[in-house]
Amino acid sequence: MSEPNPYADGEYKWGPGQQGATPGGPAYGYPQGATPAYGYPQTPSYQPTLPGGVPVPPQHAPTGGGAPLLSLGDITVVGDQIITPAGNMPLKGAVWNAMDMSRTEEKMPTVAIVLAVVFFVLCFLGLLFLLMKEKQTTGFIQVTVTSGGRHHSTMIPATGPDTFHWVMGQLNYARSLSM
């Protein structure tokens, strides 16, 4: 590969080795002008590290710090900001919504059937075991927040029939903070 092409006529030269640039000049693929165009690496206008490779400490404290006021799934309200994986959003003017996508099923447990059969033989009071019921809640509550041109949605697992009421209480608190 390092040998020249024996079939080349000498006029057309292409590639990084044949560009004829001066040593120390811009390499192949970089713009030949004095300033690099958008998208090309540029030298920073500041010194990014201290001597010895120590990173520069931040010049100002981050804003919006403090303890979280509210947390719903991966949505957290801190100060005047809503922090989500999609990015930070302003708290003022945020629109909060919740949708209940859970369901509660009521069924007769297996142990009730077994006890009813066993005690039916002894007395008819065993049929009262058929009145036993158990409730099981499955699904999620979807919480969405929209603010500052951004939108984020999260799903909170429903652990019981009262989960939606708890989420709505938290959501109403978030709405009061957004005013």
Side-chain angles (χ1 to χ4, degrees):
M1 281 314 264
S2 62
E3 298 176 10
N5 185 358
Y7 302 107
D9 57 1
E11 290 180 25
Y12 181 73
K13 298 205 183 246
W14 180 84
Q18 293 88 15
Q19 68 180 351
T22 61
Y28 175 74
Y30 283 84
Q32 301 299 319
T35 59
Y38 175 77
Y40 288 96
Q42 300 176 9
T43 57
S45 61
Y46 62 92
Q47 182 64 28
T49 58
L50 295 173
V54 178
V56 176
Q59 300 299 323
H60 60 295
T63 59
L69 300 173
L70 172 75
S71 182
L72 279 171
D74 56 5
I75 301 173
T76 306
V77 176
V78 177
D80 62 346
Q81 294 285 313
I82 302 168
I83 301 171
T84 67
N88 292 355
M89 300 181 221
L91 180 60
K92 183 127 178 107
V95 178
W96 298 83
N97 290 315
M99 184 187 318
D100 188 7
M101 296 189 290
S102 65
R103 65 179 191 178
T104 302
E105 297 175 344
E106 186 175 298
K107 66 175 191 166
M108 188 182 319
T110 308
V111 71
I113 298 170
V114 171
L115 288 174
V117 170
V118 168
F119 285 105
F120 177 73
V121 175
L122 301 176
C123 62
F124 287 105
L125 292 177
L127 295 176
L128 291 176
F129 284 110
L130 296 177
L131 297 176
M132 289 176 56
K133 302 286 182 201
E134 70 178 1
K135 292 183 178 181
Q136 183 177 8
T137 302
T138 57
F140 295 90
I141 288 92
Q142 181 182 25
V143 176
T144 60
V145 60
T146 305
S147 180
R150 293 188 177 200
H151 175 81
H152 183 71
S153 177
T154 187
M155 305 287 269
I156 299 171
T159 57
D162 58 339
T163 304
F164 183 67
H165 301 292
W166 174 80
V167 169
M168 285 307 295
Q170 296 291 310
L171 207 67
N172 288 331
Y173 177 59
R175 286 175 179 161
S176 71
L177 292 174
S178 297
M179 292 183 178

